[in-house]
């Protein structure tokens, strides 16, 4: 298949593209870069298109289009400027992309659209795991996700199979939340954050790229999917497990006031969370490679 991807030079795209190429696919990578990052340059199956947002002509004839574009939300202070950037990179960008797709004479047959489990709202304590049938929350991130997902509804109306990836915490030592967590634990000062009871619905990056491929290949798959492992945990359990895998202590507790001092309103994504189930993925037959947190972290961090 000929696949277009936006946000393909980031953490997830850098793993997704090689995995899919090994399965016979070709890529058109839309990026603001003038050339591909070094780790993607060896692949002859990649065409690099330098653009902020592709034109309809550049989208013509693609089998699949993947949109992973979005400014970081976690680990940043939510100033009004940052909130505007977050909104523009998700809602405004997706709206413009959809308009260009609708102008194609031969539009992509399948659209994979990024979203997040923030759709369900956030809490400092345990909740029965949310499945895709649950209603959205009403906090800032939930409302953002609802608006974001609405932008791709016009594609479904014109017959484009649309798959929404409500993604949890993607585990990789090369970036994201896990990369930021490792140094404190290596120095022996890592530990649970705030109450430690907040949910952490995680997914090994290998399961992210494999499950996305699975959904594209399965012709009946469409709509929203929670891209998380079947075994969410709380922050306390995650911290203890990470410390054990790194052979480090877990004796400190980081108070919420310290996180709030660093990130202000943006501390919400660290001190709060949610427990989420990949119900639809399981129902449709996807088999997770990494269901157990300790096994996932051991694989990623090379410890035994």
């Amino acid at each position: 298949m000929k696949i277009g991807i936006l946000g393909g030079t980031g953490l997830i795209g850098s793993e997704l593209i090689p995995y899919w190429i090994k399965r016979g696919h070709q890529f058109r990578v839309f990026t603001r870069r003038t050339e591909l990052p070094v780790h993607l340059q060896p692949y002859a199956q990649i065409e690099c298109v330098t653009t902020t947002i592709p034109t309809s002509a550049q989208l013509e004839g693609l089998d699949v289009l993947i949109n992973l574009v979005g400014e970081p939300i976690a680990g940043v202070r939510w100033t009004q400027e940052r909130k505007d950037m977050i909104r523009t990179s998700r809602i405004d960008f997706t709206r413009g992309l959809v308009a260009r797709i609708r102008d194609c004479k031969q539009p992509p047959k399948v659209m994979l659209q990024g979203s997040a489990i923030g759709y369900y709202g956030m809490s400092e304590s345990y909740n029965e795991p949310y499945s895709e049938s649950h209603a959205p929350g009403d906090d800032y991130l939930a409302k953002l996700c609802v608006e974001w997902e609405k932008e791709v509804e016009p594609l479904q109306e014109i017959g484009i199979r649309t798959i929404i990836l409500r993604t949890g915490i993607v585990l990789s030592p090369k970036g994201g939340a896990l990369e930021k967590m490792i140094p404190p634990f290596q120095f022996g000062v890592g530990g649970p954050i705030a109450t430690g009871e907040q949910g952490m619905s995680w997914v090994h990056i290998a399961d992210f790229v494999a499950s996305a491929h699975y959904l594209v290949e399965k012709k009946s798959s469409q709509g929203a999917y929670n891209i998380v492992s079947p075994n969410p945990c709380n922050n306390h359990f995650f911290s203890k497990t990470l410390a054990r895998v790194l052979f480090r202590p877990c004796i400190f507790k980081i108070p919420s006031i310290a996180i709030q001092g660093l990130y202000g309103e943006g501390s919400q994504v660290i001190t709060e969370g949610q427990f989420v189930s990949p119900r639809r993925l399981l129902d449709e037959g996807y088999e997770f490679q990494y269901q157990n947190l300790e096994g996932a972290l051991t694989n990623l961090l090379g410890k035994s």
Side-chain angles (χ1 to χ4, degrees), residues 254-274:
I254 303 168
S256 58
I257 193 170
I259 304 300
Q260 289 166 0
L262 279 174
Y263 303 122
E265 186 185 355
S267 64
Q268 177 186 15
V269 295
I270 302 173
T271 61
E272 300 180 20
Q274 63 279 102

Side-chain angles (χ1 to χ4, degrees), residues 29-40:
V29 177
F30 301 107
T31 176
R32 289 175 291 186
R33 296 170 177 258
T34 55
E35 61 180 11
L36 293 170
V38 173
H39 60 276
L40 292 179

